[in-house]
Structure formats: structure tokens, C-alpha cells
Amino acid sequence: MMWIYLFLGIYGLAMCFILCYSLAQANLLWYFFRFKKNGTAAALRSDSDLPAVTIQLPVFNEKYVVRRLMAAVARMDYPSDKLEIQILDDSTDETSSIIQEELQKFPNTNFQYLYREKRTGFKAGALRAGLEKAAGDLIAIFDADFIPDAQFLLKTVPHFTDPQIGMVQSRWGHLNESYSLFTRLQAFALDAHFMVEQMGRNAQQAFINFNGTGGIWRKSCIVDAGNWQEDTLTEDLDLSYRAQQKGWKFLYRPDVVSPAELPPVMSAIKSQQFRWTKGGAECAVKHLRQVLTGSFPLKVKIHAAAHLLNSMIFIAVLLVSLSSIPIWWGFYQGLIPLFYFKAAALFLFSFVIIASVYFFANLSLANYSRRGLIRYLWELPVFLSVSMGLSVHNGQAVWEGLTGKKSPFIRTPKYNLGEKPGAWVSNVYHQLKVPAGTYVEAILALVFLFLVGLSIYTATYEMLLFHAMLAMGFSLVSLASFKSYWIREGL
């Protein structure tokens, strides 16, 4: 009998963590409604007032998208004598020769080609090396899968007339969100981050983060904060916290959109998710104590803790999922009083809050249209299910980050699907190896499918909906993970 209460304790603690996280999200949602667009800063009077800008384009084996990137950046509307564009090339394949060919098409554009034979420090190392040679007072950064707005600099640079502004971040747009179910779900999640989270934090002057691309920095801010460092997998989040702890202010512009490509297949999604979640955990280890013991307002500390620990939600979900199996058995055998199930209804408040965050984030972008509402109604349960299905993979990443296990920076493959539908099948950067965790996901899919059937057969409905979502999530994630291998190998 005691073992039942052990699992109840694990379940309850994990659900309490989720509830606390959701309360922080509720506060962000409140400030989302109060957020007032900072708008375009007062236009500088003439070209002579504009500061020198360096655009950095970190590139590593990006033969499918590098032409598109260079063409987009070459169209940037800014005085040519005050703009340089650094191509920070760490490539080991034909990407380098493609870049050299493309450079001939832009004789009047100030492209600076910087090649590194050794990829020391990965992306952080490339940005740091480029910064040493950058002529600009401001540094804009775009990853290879982005197509920057030609007006990006004219919309963001004027904010730096305020000497305290260290970074301005734009909102990501999505070039291929309708390509597949998984690109749509990624857009669903990212829109919540860029609308509610970034706006909610910035509205109350809590710490926000540079998202690795689609932003512009004051060069002196980067240097003052200790420059780019590669001791975490999320060098962007790391530098963001170091800079804001030094007193620099960050500004978020949701009305400035930087379109980018979403990874279309599960192996690429997992690669990106692993880097983001593990890097977030590494940054929590690196910064959380300093923030909590620093002289910051309480609300800043609370949101910093929720921000840095948000990847822990996957461990909490995994613990809740696994402990729910013996708890279901306890209900079925009558070992757990129904009172406990009724008391657990308190945790439904977490679901209501999270549903509200995604509701207002996504529908605000759809102008609260009927079509947007209908799409939301099916996307939310599928998104939550897939998020649960990723709890094994992302939970492992978080655990490695918290325990200090190091791993290389694995960049997400880019596909350029807008021009080449289905190109992911022949993409040479595509990961073929099936991770061991995928087999665990498949086993859990079978376990929860069995529990769903057993719950219906025995009329034990207390956890039917939860287990059905877990069954769907683990099934979708594991099948999608196997799919790319089967197709590439002709199975």
C-alpha cells in the first residue's frame, strides 16, 4: 500500500511544479494584454546620423539555403557605406564554393567572407571571431534559414539612440508553417513564445532573451557582458542573461517580423529541441543562483526562474506520465480513495492557463477569426499530446544539462522546402540514426494504448483522457522518428 502513496507523492510534486509554472505564464498573459508596442523609434534625421552596422551570417554546411540568405541580406535598405555583411563560414562541404560563386553577383555589396578551418566554439566561436573584425557599432545576426526584412535595420537601429539599449529582438515568422502537421505545431508553440512570453516579460522589464537570430546588438554590450561563450548549447540565452545582469536593457519588437524555415521532420525537430532544452538547463545552472541572489525586483527573479527552468517541464511531464500507470492501477483496485482524484482536479487550473496562453497568442495573430478559432481547437490537444510525446527525448536533454554532461553543438538541418517540396528526403544533412529514446517512445505508446483499452473495458475512466493523449503523443513522435529512416532506406 505504501508504494501507491510514493507514486502519488511523485505525481503530486510534479503537478505542483507544472502548476507553479502555469501561474507564471498567467502573469505573462496578463502583461501581454497590457503590452504597448514600443513602435518605431523617432526616425534619425539623415543618413549621417545612422551608425555603422555589421550583419553577421553564421554558416555551417548550408548549401540548400545560403543563396537565398545572401540575396535577402543584399537587399537590406541601409546606406552602403555604413553596412558590412560578414559571412562566417565554418563549412566542410560545397557550401563554401557556393558562397564564393554567389559573391560575384553582388559586386556593390560590402560582403566580408571569413572562413575558419577549425570550428572552434561552434556558432559562439564563429560570432566571437567575426566580432573581432566587425567595423559596425551595431551587430545584427541572422541564421542561414532566415529571410530578413529589407527594412529590418531602419526599424530597429533608431532604438539605440537610448544608450542603455543593448539588444533589440524581432518576432520570428514562418515560411513553411503549412507544410506539415509538425511545422504547424512548431509555429503554434513559437507564436506563444514570441507573443505572450516575450511581450509579457518585456512589458514588465523582466529578463527576455535574444533568440539566436533575428536580433541586433550593440557591440559594446556584447563585449561588456563577456562576449560569446560556448560553455552552453544556447549561447544566445547565456549572453542575454549576462548582459541584463550587467544592467543593459533589451527591447522586443513584435511588429518587426523575421521569416524563417521550420524543420519539417521529427529528427530535425528533435535535434533542435535537444539543443534548446539542454542549453536552457545549462544556463539555469550557470545563472539562476546569481539572478536569485542579485539586487533585482522580486518579479524579475520569479520570471527569470520560470524562464531558466522552463525546460524542466518535460521532466515533470515524464514523471507524471510514468507515475500515472501505478496510480491508475490503484484506482482500479480501490486502493486509492476517490477523494484524491477529486482533489487532483485543482491541477486542471494549469491546463486552463496554458490553453489560454496558446489561445490568445495564436488567435491574436489570426485577428481572432473564426478560421483561427477552428484551427486552434484541433491544434491545442494535438500540440499538448506531441509535447508529452517528446518528454522522453527532451527530459534526457534537460537531465544532461543539469548534471553537466557535455555534448557538441549539433545544428538543425535546413531544407529550403519553399522551393523544393519534399527535398528533405534527399537532404544530405538529414540524420539517419534512430536514437535509442525512440524505441522507449514506441514502447510507451503501446503501454498507454493498452491502458486506454483497459480503462474502457473496466470502466475506469479517471485517467482515460490523459492516457489517450499520451498514447497519441508517443505514437506520433515515435512513428515520425522512424518514418525518415524508413523512407531514406527504402523500407
Side-chain angles (χ1 to χ4, degrees), residues 242-468:
R242 284 188 278 118
Q244 288 169 105
Q245 288 180 78
K246 296 277 285 187
W248 290 97
K249 292 183 179 180
F250 284 13
L251 183 65
Y252 177 58
R253 286 289 302 275
D255 55 322
V256 179
V257 181
S258 297
E261 180 182 281
L262 296 163
V265 291
M266 186 54 67
S267 60
I269 295 170
K270 281 185 169 181
S271 174
Q272 186 178 73
Q273 287 283 310
F274 190 92
R275 189 174 70 250
W276 286 354
T277 52
K278 181 173 180 176
E282 289 173 331
C283 285
V285 173
K286 185 173 181 179
H287 295 293
L288 186 56
R289 177 179 294 181
Q290 292 178 333
V291 173
L292 294 181
T293 58
S295 57
F296 304 105
L298 179 60
K299 65 179 181 181
V300 172
K301 294 181 179 183
I302 291 173
H303 281 295
H307 189 190
L308 290 170
L309 295 174
N310 63 3
S311 58
M312 287 283 293
I313 203 78
F314 290 103
I315 289 182
V317 168
L318 184 59
L319 289 174
V320 168
S321 303
L322 296 178
S323 60
S324 73
I325 299 173
I327 290 174
W328 176 90
W329 177 257
F331 277 122
Y332 175 65
Q333 293 292 330
L335 301 176
I336 302 176
L338 194 58
F339 165 78
Y340 286 97
F341 180 74
K342 293 180 178 179
L346 170 67
F347 297 123
L348 290 176
F349 189 53
S350 301
F351 172 80
V352 173
I353 293 173
I354 292 172
S356 299
V357 167
Y358 287 99
F359 176 85
F360 288 107
N362 283 271
L363 263 71
S364 64
L365 290 174
N367 295 316
Y368 297 95
S369 65
R370 179 182 299 179
R371 181 180 179 183
L373 176 60
I374 293 173
R375 191 169 69 177
Y376 168 83
L377 292 177
W378 71 261
E379 284 178 336
L380 178 66
V382 177
F383 167 74
L384 292 176
S385 296
V386 170
S387 297
M388 294 175 186
L390 284 167
S391 60
V392 170
H393 177 268
N394 288 355
Q396 176 189 350
V398 175
W399 183 254
E400 289 187 8
L402 293 176
T403 56
K405 181 178 179 180
K406 295 299 179 182
S407 56
F409 183 102
I410 306 297
R411 70 100 168 93
T412 306
K414 314 300 190 304
Y415 296 83
N416 198 358
L417 296 174
E419 298 178 9
K420 303 173 183 177
W424 69 267
V425 176
S426 58
N427 189 299
V428 298
Y429 306 133
H430 190 71
Q431 175 64 44
L432 287 178
K433 183 179 179 181
V434 179
T438 298
Y439 296 98
V440 177
E441 292 160 356
I443 292 171
L444 289 175
L446 294 175
V447 169
F448 287 110
L449 281 169
F450 175 75
L451 279 175
V452 167
L454 195 58
S455 296
I456 295 173
Y457 179 76
T458 60
T460 309
Y461 302 123
E462 288 84 357
M463 292 188 168
L464 177 60
L465 179 60
F466 181 52
H467 286 163

Side-chain angles (χ1 to χ4, degrees), residues 140-309:
I141 301 171
F142 294 99
D143 282 347
D145 53 335
F146 275 68
I147 303 180
D149 177 5
Q151 300 292 309
F152 175 86
L153 294 179
L154 294 181
K155 292 176 180 178
T156 57
V157 164
H159 290 293
F160 290 92
T161 55
D162 180 349
Q164 291 184 299
I165 294 293
M167 191 279 297
V168 178
Q169 174 68 48
S170 67
R171 175 168 62 87
W172 292 4
H174 315 298
L175 294 170
N176 61 327
E177 67 177 282
S178 300
Y179 182 84
S180 70
L181 170 66
F182 292 112
T183 57
R184 182 56 228 151
L185 295 181
Q186 289 172 83
F188 186 78
L190 286 169
D191 287 343
H193 167 69
F194 280 100
M195 293 301 291
V196 173
E197 293 183 344
Q198 289 286 61
M199 289 173 67
R201 292 185 184 116
N202 206 208
Q204 54 188 313
Q205 298 181 343
F207 288 1
I208 68 169
N209 61 294
F210 169 58
N211 292 104
T213 175
I216 179 168
W217 287 81
R218 191 187 299 274
K219 182 179 180 180
S220 59
C221 171
I222 297 175
V223 174
D224 180 56
N227 215 320
W228 298 102
Q229 299 175 8
E230 63 269 17
D231 55 344
T232 74
L233 292 180
T234 46
E235 74 292 324
D236 45 7
L237 179 62
D238 173 39
L239 181 59
S240 297
Y241 267 77
R242 284 188 278 118
Q244 288 169 105
Q245 288 180 78
K246 296 277 285 187
W248 290 97
K249 292 183 179 180
F250 284 13
L251 183 65
Y252 177 58
R253 286 289 302 275
D255 55 322
V256 179
V257 181
S258 297
E261 180 182 281
L262 296 163
V265 291
M266 186 54 67
S267 60
I269 295 170
K270 281 185 169 181
S271 174
Q272 186 178 73
Q273 287 283 310
F274 190 92
R275 189 174 70 250
W276 286 354
T277 52
K278 181 173 180 176
E282 289 173 331
C283 285
V285 173
K286 185 173 181 179
H287 295 293
L288 186 56
R289 177 179 294 181
Q290 292 178 333
V291 173
L292 294 181
T293 58
S295 57
F296 304 105
L298 179 60
K299 65 179 181 181
V300 172
K301 294 181 179 183
I302 291 173
H303 281 295
H307 189 190
L308 290 170
L309 295 174

